Every structure is written in structure tokens, then in C-alpha cells.
Amino acid sequence: MQGGIDCDVHVPAPSMEQMRPYLPPVWQEITASRGVRSFAESTLPIEAPIACRPDWRDEDGRPRQDVEFLIRTVLDQPGMAAAICNCLHPVAKLFDPHMAAAFATATNDYLADQFLSRDPRLYGSILISPLDPIKAGKEIARRSSDKKFVQAVMLATAELPYGNTVYDPIWQAAVEADLPVALHIGNSGKLPQTASGWASYQFEDAVDQSLAFQGQLGSLVTHGVFERFPGLKIVLLESGVSWLASFGWRFGKFWRGSRVEVPWLDEAPMRVIERHVRLTLQPFDGPDDDATTGSIIDHLNANEMLLFATDYPHWHYDGDDAFPKGIDGNLRRTIAVDNPRSLYGRIH
């Protein structure tokens, strides 16, 4: 999409060797003495076909990691105006909140130095760990002074639902910095991804991940987070799209029968979600036909809520067009250009 903004581009997490120069001396010593050499993320194995398009892999079959290839593939070839890079080191999977915060800070400094500085069209997300919301808020404040960072990002699962007031320092810092907070698909690995326990298979896990987004929206809205922080915007990364309409209907139905429990919520939950929540387009969880996609879009406030994303280098669509069938004409420009620019005021 000429002039568009890709709102979800993945940058490989730094290896321990790459990260160590960005760590404070104490953590350099700790990781060396403990023999910490690497971290393995198993949610999406790199060998899986959806992990990377074949033409985006290197000679060893791994996703290409050089920034030149990313710039050429994500920006130059499709004529994009900007891309938001997410460097998702698995800090949420660490049990030491101090280590998690230190690694998040080092990852952000690595991202700025090794990727964002290489092209003015590359922007980034501030990685934070919800294990220590106060430290996370301070990291948002620290990195928000760099205008190349346009939002904060953390996983869609945590020890407690995000409506809990323990997370208020994160929302406060984001609002003060005028930055959205993105919730990215992923599980911390400490709690099951379903209310029924652990999934057995990778694709089962992937399907179940949307439940986390539903739970977090329910928590954020019912606990009055958007009333406490009216300027807060939440972005759901890789959540899927089609589930939101039915979730909103169910949410509204039960709210009407039980609204005495949440007197601060004085309007239908879906109205709150439409104002404060945005969703990225890929992976799009709908049939591959125009009519059905059109119906899904009609049920959503797509003119404001959807953001274009390729989810590079992950592979969720055929060919080169990340837009699903049924999204054409002016709506393409709205999703790829107007909505991202309205949300991310820092992107030029």
C-alpha cells in the first residue's frame, strides 16, 4: 500500500552476546557467572511454515535478520511510508522481575541502536515487563523521550488481568507520554492459555490465544481503566478480528443485566472498546471470500478500529497482498494510512 504504515513488523530478539553490551555491568556479570547464553521462544517454532515466508528465509532456513533486507522487503518494495518494529525478547517468561526489567531496557536500547537508527521510516515499540509495573512505567517514561518509539508493548497474558489497579503505573506513564500500549499475542508460560488447562498442540495454542485478548478487554473495561485514564489507547497485535463483534454483543448483554456491579460503566462496553481499542489486520481470521469479509467488517467499526499490518516475517496470507479479500478502495487507505496516522502522532 503506497504511503501506508505497517503496524506490526518483527525484529529478531537479540542474542545474549548482542544484548550484553546494553546491560548494566551488574547484569553483565550475573549473566556471565550464571552461564546465560541464550533464551529460546517455543510458542512459534522458527521451522514452522507460518513463522516465515520461504523467500524471507536465509540459506540456513531461518528468518532473515539483517536490517537491510527488512527495509527493502517491508518498506521499499511495497512503497510503505513507515513500519513499527516489535522486538519481543521473552522478558515476560522470566521469574525475576529485576532481570526482566533490565532485559527489557537492554532490548529497547539494542532496537534503537541497531535498527531504528538505520532508516528514518523505522519506528519502535517500548518493550516492558508487567512483572514490575512501576519499573515498566519508568521505562516508558525513559524511552518516550526518543520520538522514534511510538508505543509500549507487552504480552496479552500476565499474572493478573490488566484491569487490576496494580498495573495503573503502566497506564499512567503511557498517558503522560501520549503513547498507546500494545498487547501482543503470547503467553508468559506461567499460567494455562485456557480456563480448561494447557493446550497439547502448537496450532491449538495459537487458536486459544485469542481468549487472552477477550479476557483483557473484559478486565480493562469492567474495572474502569478507561474511566481512570480517558486518554489511554490499547492496540491488540495479532489478536485476530472476527471474534470481536460477537464478544461485544455478549459483553453488552451481560452488562445490561448486571450493570449494578460496575456503576462507573455507564454505557455499553462495545462503545468504550470502539473509542479506546485498535486491532491489527494480520492474521485475519475469516474465510477467503469477499462477501463474508465484508460482513465481518460491517459488524466492526473498521473505519476507525483496524490498523494495517503484515506481521513480517510471519506468513498468514497468500501472495504479496496482506489485505484480505473484501477490503478494497477507500477502506484500504483508511486502514493503512488514516487510522495509523491518527493513532501514532509521532510518525511523520
Side-chain angles (χ1 to χ4, degrees):
M1 178 72 185
Q2 286 289 331
I5 297 172
D6 193 333
C7 296
D8 185 22
V9 169
H10 286 269
V11 169
S15 66
M16 200 64 246
E17 181 180 358
Q18 292 170 319
M19 178 183 286
R20 191 166 281 119
Y22 299 95
L23 288 169
V26 63
W27 284 106
Q28 293 185 29
E29 181 178 351
I30 289 173
T31 54
S33 63
R34 291 184 184 177
V36 179
R37 294 182 176 85
S38 65
F39 289 88
E41 173 57 77
S42 60
T43 302
L44 183 58
I46 60 172
E47 294 84 2
I50 64 171
C52 185
R53 268 176 44 167
D55 56 329
W56 292 346
R57 294 182 183 271
D58 61 21
E59 59 274 9
D60 296 322
R62 302 173 64 87
R64 291 281 297 267
Q65 298 195 18
D66 54 295
V67 65
E68 293 81 7
F69 183 82
L70 183 152
I71 291 170
R72 186 166 62 253
T73 304
V74 172
L75 294 171
D76 293 342
Q77 292 176 358
M80 300 294 285
I84 301 174
C85 299
N86 295 305
C87 190
L88 297 178
H89 186 283
V91 293
K93 298 179 182 293
L94 303 177
F95 285 86
D96 181 345
H98 306 292
M99 175 182 276
F103 279 28
T105 294
T107 298
N108 294 329
D109 292 347
Y110 165 85
L111 174 63
D113 187 34
Q114 298 296 326
F115 285 86
L116 305 188
S117 66
R118 303 291 292 276
D119 193 293
R121 296 169 294 175
L122 292 179
Y123 294 83
S125 299
I126 304 168
L127 180 66
I128 57 174
S129 165
L131 290 174
D132 190 329
I134 293 177
K135 280 189 171 67
K138 290 180 178 178
E139 178 63 8
I140 292 173
R142 182 187 79 93
R143 258 302 166 191
S144 65
S145 62
D146 183 350
K147 300 304 181 182
K148 293 283 279 183
F149 284 91
V150 299
Q151 68 184 1
V153 64
M154 56 186 178
L155 292 186
T157 62
E159 307 301 283
L160 292 170
Y162 286 140
N164 194 292
T165 55
V166 71
Y167 297 112
D168 279 5
I170 294 176
W171 316 132
Q172 181 69 43
V175 169
E176 289 178 355
D178 195 23
L179 296 180
V181 178
L183 307 183
H184 192 282
I185 189 172
N187 189 295
S188 66
K190 300 165 189 175
L191 297 171
Q193 66 274 66
T194 80
S196 303
W198 293 97
S200 299
Y201 305 103
Q202 190 277 328
F203 86 88
E204 181 188 8
D205 177 285
V207 172
D208 291 337
Q209 292 287 344
S210 67
L211 300 174
F213 292 99
Q214 296 179 37
Q216 296 294 14
L217 284 189
S219 179
L220 289 165
V221 173
T222 58
H223 283 76
V225 170
F226 299 116
E227 279 67 43
R228 297 198 298 277
F229 304 101
L232 180 64
K233 290 291 193 295
I234 297 292
V235 180
L236 307 185
L237 296 176
E238 299 185 42
S239 65
V241 172
S242 63
W243 56 269
L244 182 58
S246 59
F247 170 79
W249 297 331
R250 183 177 177 85
F251 202 175
K253 174 183 174 64
F254 282 92
W255 167 76
R256 283 189 290 272
S258 307
R259 57 190 298 180
V260 66
E261 291 185 298
V262 287
W264 48 84
L265 184 56
D266 58 2
E267 61 181 326
M270 195 60 187
R271 302 288 80 79
V272 178
I273 292 172
E274 287 176 350
R275 283 200 306 275
H276 293 275
V277 178
R278 302 293 180 262
L279 304 86
T280 54
L281 194 61
Q282 288 293 340
F284 187 80
D285 50 350
D288 191 23
D289 68 85
D290 293 6
T292 306
T293 299
S295 178
I296 292 171
I297 297 302
D298 286 343
H299 287 308
L300 295 172
N301 190 4
N303 286 337
E304 294 185 6
M305 294 189 71
L306 293 184
L307 305 171
F308 177 78
T310 59
D311 192 26
Y312 169 92
H314 303 154
W315 191 30
H316 300 290
Y317 51 90
D318 296 328
D320 296 325
D321 193 355
F323 279 101
K325 292 182 179 179
I327 298 181
D328 297 304
N330 292 334
L331 185 55
R332 284 194 172 215
R333 177 175 175 81
T334 297
I335 292 172
V337 180
D338 300 337
N339 290 349
R341 289 199 175 278
S342 175
L343 180 65
Y344 300 112
R346 293 184 169 200
I347 295 180
H348 302 300

